[in-house]
Amino acid sequence: MKKCLIVTGGKLDLAFARSFLQKESFQKIIAVDGGLEAVEALGLIPDYVVGDFDTVNPAVLERFRKIPYIVWEKHRPEKNETDTELACNRGMTLACDRIVFLGATGGRLDHMLGNIHVLYACLQRGVEAWLIDSQNKLYLLDQGKRFYQEELWGKYVSFLPYTEKVEGITLRGFRYPLNEKNIRKGEEAGLCISNELAEKEATIELAEGILICVESRD
């Protein structure tokens, strides 16, 4: 399994990131614009640096420019893709099976929402992808999944419709089970929020549509 770490320019809890990286290994690392500052603080050397470089500290940029094997992909500020989207596209061209985004949830909400849509491109290509921070692990589901208590990011598991509707949701082993329930955007928003595992193992099944899944802790 080839894993890629993408560090974006959003707010990042460095203490959490250090702890997380002690338990994980990545074959490729991509820094996104201002995320290069977090990469430096974490003691990482990226394989690629992607962006228009309008937010990164020039001194940090200059230090990394001296490292010969980094690949630089500079883009114009006026473009249709976000820097994170471009970095994700690069990660997928490197034949990565899994992509983890750090710094993709903190800060501007428009960027965070855009990053959720970046996950859709990964889903379409069969690449597992997560937005991760100290409290949350967010990803998309278009098929069933099995959850294990000892592996959850936190106590809570929430499901929200990414597509206009999601049909045939069945939850087993959860505190609040469902049986072939259909949900739509803007209706019964709390139905699948803050669920919990009632057993050591739980499952979700769905017939049609895509869900946003958030494993979270207080």
Side-chain angles (χ1 to χ4, degrees), residues 68-173:
Y69 56 83
I70 295 176
V71 178
W72 296 83
E73 295 187 2
K74 185 172 182 179
H75 299 269
R76 296 185 307 166
E78 300 82 10
K79 56 187 182 301
N80 295 330
E81 304 87 354
T82 65
D83 289 339
T84 301
E85 184 179 356
L86 293 168
C88 181
N89 290 340
R90 172 52 60 201
M92 289 191 287
T93 66
L94 298 173
C96 293
D97 306 291
R98 294 181 175 179
I99 299 178
V100 171
F101 297 84
L102 293 181
T105 57
R108 286 175 50 177
L109 287 177
D110 56 343
H111 283 180
M112 186 191 75
L113 291 170
N115 293 337
I116 293 174
H117 288 289
V118 169
L119 295 179
Y120 179 65
C122 296
L123 187 71
Q124 287 184 307
R125 298 275 291 273
V127 176
E128 294 184 275
W130 303 271
L131 309 182
I132 289 177
D133 62 31
S134 60
Q135 286 186 271
N136 309 285
K137 180 179 182 181
L138 187 154
Y139 49 96
L140 300 182
L141 286 177
D142 64 351
Q143 60 184 337
K145 177 178 170 61
R146 193 173 298 273
F147 297 85
Y148 301 94
Q149 277 186 338
E150 69 272 13
E151 296 178 2
L152 281 180
W153 198 252
K155 177 181 178 181
Y156 304 106
V157 184
S158 297
F159 304 101
L160 302 99
Y162 178 80
T163 48
E164 182 63 30
K165 61 181 179 179
V166 182
E167 298 182 350
I169 300 174
T170 296
L171 300 177
R172 297 188 179 94

